[in-house]
Amino acid sequence: MRVHVVSDVHGNSQDLGKAADGADALICLGDLVLFLDYADHSRGIFPDLFGVDNADRLVELRTARRFEEARELGNRLWAGLDRGAAIESAVRRQYAELFAAFPAPTYATYGNVDIPALWPEYVEPGTTILDGERVEIGGLVFGFVGGGLRTPMRTPYEIDDETYAEKIAALGGRGEVDVLCTHIPPEVPDLCYDTVARRFERGSRALLEAIHTIRPRYSLFGHVHQPLARRMRIGATECVNVGHFASTGTPWTMEW
């Protein structure tokens, strides 16, 4: 059995359509939407609306963790515009293209920049959406929890720690899980630190605790685009950041 896993697609529909080549299934760990490309500030919803100069400034402020100033910049730019309508329209265009690119079968969960309420409108036969749910693939049980935790960035699908922990606990409460599939990593500094953004992204303590108690074969995740460590063994579990698909176009491969 061969499964390909991607995360942080961020608009890369061209490579997404080929991501399952040679595999029995594709797993997507979220972040389909591209709001702003931190490597190329000309790409994404924000520069399309407000130009590259403003995108440069926004990235500069966020990288310096000057989040209040970043919000003030955003508020000035959005003044007089229907922010919700403009973002939703742009996201819809991206989702239409990305969901059409998913091969069958695909098993997907949400990233922190995704808008879950829109997914049912674009999901096609052969794609299964999972969040706080389990599925058997090739004789192994895969458990999925999507989204991220609350941050000053205020991305669309951030949930509180308690709700996230409940979803993680529900997976383990239903029996053995061989592979934990999440968008964010467990709360381990080397897995959470982004060496280019120069900041710690939020990882989940509940996920880390589940790794110790459930002891899955793998914990698979994305979210941190340039992590200090891409993989690490915690007890019986191999923890793997499957990579920043938007820039690499290459899935991570699991075979058994």
Side-chain angles (χ1 to χ4, degrees):
M1 191 73 182
R2 180 185 177 102
V3 169
H4 288 176
V5 189
V6 301
S7 185
D8 300 271
V9 175
H10 293 303
N12 188 354
S13 59
Q14 180 176 355
D15 290 319
L16 186 61
K18 303 175 290 184
D21 287 358
D24 298 291
L26 178 71
I27 289 174
C28 179
L29 304 180
D31 270 11
L32 299 183
V33 172
L34 178 61
F35 187 75
L36 174 58
D37 188 334
Y38 276 57
D40 180 355
H41 304 168
S42 68
R43 298 181 63 244
I45 295 171
F46 188 89
D48 285 349
L49 290 169
F50 301 117
V52 177
D53 288 345
N54 283 315
D56 290 340
R57 180 58 176 160
L58 183 66
V59 171
E60 178 187 356
L61 292 172
R62 285 183 170 179
T63 302
R65 302 187 67 80
R66 294 157 61 183
F67 296 116
E68 190 58 41
E69 291 176 67
R71 278 193 289 273
E72 290 173 0
L73 171 64
N75 289 337
R76 289 198 300 272
L77 293 172
W78 284 107
L81 298 176
D82 187 333
R83 179 172 183 163
I87 291 177
E88 181 174 320
S89 176
V91 169
R92 284 181 177 279
R93 288 193 297 272
Q94 292 188 15
Y95 277 166
E97 187 173 321
L98 289 158
F99 275 93
F102 273 140
T106 291
Y107 303 90
T109 195
Y110 314 112
N112 60 291
V113 303
D114 287 312
I115 303 177
L118 296 182
W119 281 34
E121 298 182 38
Y122 297 94
V123 66
E124 299 189 0
T127 297
T128 303
I129 310 303
L130 300 146
D131 187 18
E133 299 162 285
R134 298 149 44 103
V135 67
E136 184 178 318
I137 306 173
L140 297 183
V141 176
F142 288 70
F144 289 77
V145 173
L149 298 175
R150 304 280 189 211
T151 72
M153 303 286 277
R154 299 182 182 177
T155 51
Y157 190 45
E158 294 181 352
I159 59 179
D160 60 75
D161 290 50
E162 294 74 17
T163 302
Y164 194 89
E166 287 170 2
K167 290 199 290 185
I168 291 286
L171 291 180
R174 298 183 189 125
E176 183 178 354
V177 177
D178 298 299
V179 185
L180 275 171
C181 297
T182 58
H183 178 67
I184 62 174
E187 190 182 65
V188 177
D190 284 3
L191 299 175
C192 293
Y193 187 73
D194 191 307
T195 59
V196 174
R198 293 176 297 175
R199 65 170 180 260
F200 287 98
E201 302 289 355
R202 286 213 63 192
S204 168
R205 177 170 294 275
L207 175 57
L208 178 60
E209 292 172 355
I211 289 169
H212 285 295
T213 56
I214 299 174
R215 296 170 59 84
R217 298 188 193 185
Y218 288 98
S219 168
L220 306 180
F221 50 86
H223 187 55
V224 184
H225 293 178
Q226 299 90 15
L228 189 61
R230 293 201 172 273
R231 59 194 303 159
M232 174 185 297
R233 179 163 287 277
I234 299 176
T237 303
E238 188 74 15
C239 300
V240 182
N241 184 318
V242 301
H244 183 223
F245 187 76
S247 61
T248 68
T250 303
W252 182 81
T253 298
M254 178 181 172
E255 293 183 290
W256 67 97

